[in-house]
Amino acid sequence: MELSFDLLINAVIAGILLGGFYTAVTLGVSISFGILDIVNIAHPAFIILGSYIAYIVNTRLGIDPIAVSILMLPVFYLLGAGVYQVYYESFERRGQESLRGLSFFFGLLFVTEVMLILVFGVDYRYVEAPYIGPSWRLGVMDFPLRMLVPCIAALTLFAALELYLSYTFIGRAIKAVAQDQLALRLMGASPVRIKRIAFGISIATASVAGALLIIIQPVEPSVGREYIGRVFAICVLGGLGSLPGTVIGAMLLGILESFTATFYGPSWAPAVAFGVLLLTLAFRPAGLLGR
Amino acid sequence: MRTRVFLLLLIAVAIVVFFATRWVNNDYVFFAGYTVLQFVVLSTAWNILGGYTGYVNFGSAAFFALGAYATVFLHKLYPLPIPLLIVVGGAVSGIVGLGMGYLTLRLRGAFFAIATLALAVVLQTLIVNWDYVGGSRGAYIIRPNEIALIGPYIQYLFLVMLALVVIALTVARGIERSRLGYGFATIRDDELAAEASGVPTLRLKLIATTLSGALMGMAGAPFPYYIGYLQPSSAFGLEYAVNSIAMPMIGGTTSWVGPLIGAILLGSLQQIATVTISSAVNLLIVGLLLVAFVIIAPNGIVGLVQGWIRRTK
């Protein structure tokens, strides 16, 4: 009995740590899809891009992957702002975002993946850092640092974003974009500019998420696909546009996946997100903390 | 032109294509041609939902693979003739399409797209874990060398796919000119207004999803016989998902001609590029063409040609 209790509590811990990491992966989509209404299905591709940048700098110069990702934030921000500009000019302004805008992001996802395959091949790549390997033990509880560090980093990222969105002018304007663009314009802010900034921020989070991903697991270009279902499941489960909801959704999915992996085998874990997504859409489309 | 006349014309063209290919008398032409025809069916099927109603399906590979795996499953039980397998594959994919649509189509369009994207991952997980149909190792299907009346088996498969193309194009064109097609168009242009005017939007969307999914499953059903050895990674290949979106988008989504043109052009281009360059590069070309076309030429080749005709008049 004690053994199964150990297993249970460690499955919960592993799930929470995993959920923390999922938070980092989903925050960007929470902003783009939840707040800006831009269905950026290419987000996982940007995350993988972040992983590969962390990998290159880490293996060449030996810099910590998380530090690399923070240094890369401005680059990803500009990349995101650029992508939004193209998206706005080509689709949003013409009112074609549903069919062609989606296809555009799908094309981006695909092109990024194939380019990474052409450059790096399909071998798994990994990084080195002092916290990959050891783990803390508290009684029967096991905290692998490889998971704990990304979890803490992700929650820090969440706190920073939530504070930014709640207490700065631009942050509040980003929230306002989702609610009433006309009112925002009357307050003297350009919705397009605000959305560009917000989308830039959403892509910037992919830099951090990518570094965390390659800390947690070895990465190859098509790994990103597994995260599409997860990211949107979490986003919908938490409630669109709610960052705290994203954290809760991520933790729930993390725990569910961890239980599935522990009791049924890890090969079934990818199916969990899809089940969660479909059930949420069928029974509570607004999500847990939906507006 | 009446649908019946159109169908007869298509059949005539198909017969000409078949005998012309036979006259070339090169097995490779049949192998390459089969793939191109398969893409014609897939992109036409995608367009019934995507082009006519405006709902994006990213899971073409899932529906295609369902058809293929339905064949593998039945083949293990009892070898059936291919036309029958096509019916079964179509039914399975159609039902999955209907179920997915029912759960997600009542909400915003984006949810359906996301769900289809996730569907491919989940079905692949399911197949990989299902030993009966080969699991992650894959399944062998030994195809006969010859078949009565036609000769080499690959020619038979080619003919089957040609028949599917005729069916898919007739269905697509039939929809365009029927009440159903006008209903689809109202959904694409303004769903809220359509709903308010009494168009049964959910029912129409479900019809489109089922039809589109079924045609994709039908295209997948003969695939195990074509490839001989079916692996989850080949059946769920990303190239099916991306091609069945890229081909209609590049050809033009508003009529049945667009996917046909897109599939023939892109499909042939890829057959050539796979042989001469590499398969990764040819996928990159498809992706870049897709992005370029949706940005620069939103109505595809058909739109470009129409614009050109209008200008020269």
Side-chain angles (χ1 to χ4, degrees):
Chain A
M1 196 61 209
E2 201 178 64
L3 185 78
S4 71
F5 177 72
D6 285 7
L7 202 65
L8 200 69
I9 198 143
N10 278 315
V12 173
I13 289 170
I16 291 174
L17 296 180
L18 189 65
F21 161 66
Y22 286 170
T23 308
V25 178
T26 316
L27 279 173
V29 171
S30 244
I31 294 173
S32 57
F33 181 45
I35 298 179
L36 306 177
D37 219 12
I38 299 170
V39 192
N40 177 16
I41 49 172
H43 196 76
F46 290 107
I47 292 176
I48 302 293
L49 201 62
S51 296
Y52 272 89
I53 290 172
Y55 157 75
I56 296 168
V57 180
N58 179 268
T59 43
R60 297 276 158 80
L61 306 171
I63 303 175
D64 180 83
I66 296 177
V68 175
S69 75
I70 291 168
L71 288 175
M72 290 305 289
L73 281 177
V75 177
F76 274 73
Y77 173 82
L78 289 178
L79 182 67
V83 168
Y84 177 73
Q85 201 58 32
V86 173
Y87 176 79
Y88 171 73
E89 298 286 346
S90 314
F91 312 107
E92 210 168 52
R93 207 176 46 174
R94 301 189 207 155
Q96 291 181 325
E97 59 262 43
S98 64
L99 182 62
R100 284 171 230 297
L102 264 174
S103 308
F104 167 70
F105 281 120
F106 185 71
L108 273 190
L109 168 80
F110 190 71
V111 167
T112 314
E113 187 181 318
V114 175
M115 290 229 259
L116 285 173
I117 290 177
L118 283 174
V119 178
F120 295 99
V122 290
D123 303 329
Y124 279 96
R125 310 283 170 166
Y126 51 89
V127 289
E128 287 183 19
Y131 43 80
I132 297 175
S135 95
W136 284 352
R137 291 196 67 88
L138 270 176
V140 294
M141 293 182 287
D142 192 26
F143 294 92
L145 289 187
R146 185 178 56 88
M147 301 296 294
L148 188 62
V149 170
C151 179
I152 292 167
L155 293 178
T156 314
L157 182 67
F158 156 72
L161 274 178
E162 182 66 17
L163 287 175
Y164 178 76
L165 287 182
S166 310
Y167 293 107
T168 63
F169 177 77
I170 304 262
R172 288 178 175 182
I174 290 172
K175 279 191 170 173
V177 146
Q179 292 162 5
D180 194 338
Q181 299 206 4
L182 183 65
L184 185 68
R185 205 174 272 138
L186 294 175
M187 300 295 291
S190 147
V192 176
R193 183 172 153 260
I194 298 295
K195 286 177 110 172
R196 188 167 59 229
I197 294 173
F199 198 76
I201 293 172
S202 110
I203 297 300
T205 66
S207 168
V208 177
L212 302 183
L213 172 65
I214 201 164
I215 290 171
I216 285 182
Q217 64 167 86
V219 167
E220 54 108 6
S222 66
V223 163
R225 263 183 266 158
E226 290 170 24
Y227 284 89
I228 297 171
R230 284 189 185 125
V231 161
F232 284 95
I234 292 168
C235 215
V236 173
L237 179 64
L240 287 181
S242 159
L243 295 193
T246 301
V247 179
I248 297 172
M251 295 285 174
L252 276 177
L253 185 72
I255 293 170
L256 270 175
E257 280 194 5
S258 160
F259 269 80
T260 315
T262 309
F263 297 108
Y264 295 96
S267 58
W268 284 104
V272 176
F274 185 70
V276 168
L277 179 66
L278 276 190
L279 287 177
T280 316
L281 288 181
F283 294 110
R284 191 172 158 73
L288 295 173
L289 301 185
R291 50 176 147 102
Chain B
M1 198 171 15
R2 299 270 301 278
T3 300
R4 201 175 302 159
V5 182
F6 179 77
L7 178 61
L8 288 176
L9 253 174
L10 264 187
I11 292 174
V13 172
I15 291 171
V16 171
V17 168
F18 180 69
F19 280 102
T21 322
R22 230 174 132 122
W23 180 72
V24 175
N25 197 20
N26 179 339
D27 268 0
Y28 176 72
V29 177
F30 279 101
F31 275 102
Y34 177 91
T35 311
V36 175
L37 292 177
Q38 178 179 283
F39 279 130
V40 173
V41 179
L42 278 176
S43 53
T44 305
W46 184 90
N47 203 44
I48 288 177
L49 185 66
Y52 298 170
T53 72
Y55 277 79
V56 187
N57 176 3
F58 291 116
S60 311
F63 292 101
F64 176 82
L66 265 181
Y69 270 99
T71 295
V72 173
F73 179 81
L74 289 175
H75 183 84
K76 299 242 162 177
L77 290 177
Y78 185 78
L80 294 166
I82 289 183
L84 213 60
L85 291 170
I86 288 176
V87 173
V88 176
V92 172
S93 292
I95 289 168
V96 170
L98 181 68
M100 282 261 314
Y102 186 74
L103 284 179
T104 54
L105 281 174
R106 285 168 299 170
L107 306 158
R108 292 169 37 207
F111 287 129
F112 174 75
I114 294 160
T116 54
L117 208 50
L119 177 74
V121 176
V122 173
L123 279 180
Q124 195 172 353
T125 310
L126 220 73
I127 296 288
V128 164
N129 283 297
W130 192 12
D131 276 333
Y132 183 77
V133 292
S136 55
R137 284 173 291 110
Y140 284 97
I141 297 271
I142 294 153
R143 66 158 179 252
N145 267 332
E146 301 255 318
I147 189 153
L149 295 176
I150 297 165
Y153 206 74
I154 182 66
Q155 298 197 8
Y156 172 57
L157 288 173
F158 183 82
L159 194 64
V160 164
M161 206 34 92
L162 211 49
L164 278 180
V165 168
V166 170
I167 293 172
L169 289 179
T170 312
V171 168
R173 189 177 173 281
I175 288 173
E176 263 172 47
R177 280 147 204 260
S178 66
R179 279 174 62 90
L180 199 60
Y182 296 131
F184 287 172
T186 62
I187 294 174
R188 179 185 60 206
D189 294 338
D190 193 335
E191 189 164 347
L192 207 62
E195 182 85 56
S197 328
V199 177
T201 54
L202 179 63
R203 200 194 309 156
L204 288 184
K205 284 187 283 184
L206 289 179
I207 293 173
T209 325
T210 313
L211 265 179
S212 168
L215 278 174
M216 287 176 184
M218 287 162 82
F223 187 64
Y225 285 95
Y226 171 77
I227 194 146
Y229 167 58
L230 188 68
Q231 266 183 306
S233 55
S234 66
F236 286 93
L238 202 57
E239 68 259 35
Y240 296 113
V242 76
N243 271 317
S244 47
I245 295 169
M247 287 165 175
M249 284 292 183
I250 289 167
T253 51
T254 41
S255 81
W256 61 273
V257 188
L260 178 67
I261 293 175
I264 291 176
L265 277 182
L266 262 190
S268 317
L269 180 77
Q270 284 179 68
Q271 286 304 316
I272 296 163
T274 308
V275 180
T276 53
I277 318 171
S278 84
S279 56
V281 173
N282 99 53
L283 286 180
L284 182 65
I285 294 171
V286 175
L288 289 175
L289 276 177
L290 171 63
V291 173
F293 262 85
V294 291
I295 293 176
I296 299 162
N299 294 320
I301 293 172
V302 170
L304 288 179
V305 171
Q306 279 170 346
W308 182 70
I309 291 172
R310 222 172 291 137
R311 248 173 288 132
T312 50
K313 253 179 197 169

